[in-house]
Amino acid sequence: QGFYGGSSFTVIDAPVDVVWNTLQDWGVYKKTFAATVNVKEVSRKGNQSMIHYRMGYKFITLDYYMNIEKDPSKYIMSFHLAQNKPHDISASKGYWRLFPQKGGRTLVAYVVAAEIPMGLYNVLKPEWKAMVQRNLVGAPNDVKKLLASPRGQKYFQNLASN
């Protein structure tokens, strides 16, 4: 009880570098992923970052920090909860993995596992529990929708200017 997660996959009509750059734009997370109030990079050293997340629902806000490690050569971005920082969730870890496809498309794989404290879990209604699960594993489709929207076009322009 209190465990959420799974894996999901989607194909996005965008080159792998466009998707990769989008995933590293912490500022867009608030308008892309459900229940995201704020995401901010608080430190970075090489391919490692610490990110502060604030997630909000009708009656609760959750704050936590994630350690992010990027491997650009393999298009892998892994993450795990920073246990040494304040956190309102019990555990979280996972990764994004991108696979270039023919025709300038990208296969996106996303794996996530999260645990919320039992005190919080026990007060959540069943429909809220289902929503949390959908939001977690729906992340690749959220990126797909962003890149297909007018807001997402800036990532294609950034690639063209490089």
Side-chain angles (χ1 to χ4, degrees), residues 60-103:
I60 191 163
T61 301
L62 301 172
D63 282 285
Y64 55 94
Y65 292 80
M66 298 294 280
N67 291 313
I68 310 289
E69 186 165 343
K70 297 170 249 174
D71 183 342
S73 68
K74 295 180 182 173
Y75 295 106
I76 297 173
M77 185 165 60
S78 59
F79 54 89
H80 65 274
L81 183 68
Q83 293 286 346
N84 63 333
K85 292 284 190 182
H87 51 279
D88 295 329
I89 61 175
S90 301
S92 183
K93 63 181 176 179
Y95 64 87
W96 292 88
R97 176 87 193 260
L98 309 180
F99 300 91
Q101 302 296 298
K102 291 180 183 176

Side-chain angles (χ1 to χ4, degrees), residues 4-10 79 93-97 99 107-114 132-141:
Y4 294 94
S7 60
S8 57
F9 305 86
T10 194
F79 54 89
K93 63 181 176 179
Y95 64 87
W96 292 88
R97 176 87 193 260
F99 300 91
L107 172 63
V108 179
Y110 179 66
V111 176
V112 61
V132 169
Q133 179 66 23
R134 276 192 314 275
N135 290 347
L136 277 173
V137 296
N141 282 322

Side-chain angles (χ1 to χ4, degrees), residues 119-131:
L120 175 59
Y121 179 83
N122 289 334
V123 300
L124 289 178
K125 295 179 181 179
E127 60 268 21
W128 281 80
K129 293 174 185 176
M131 180 193 69

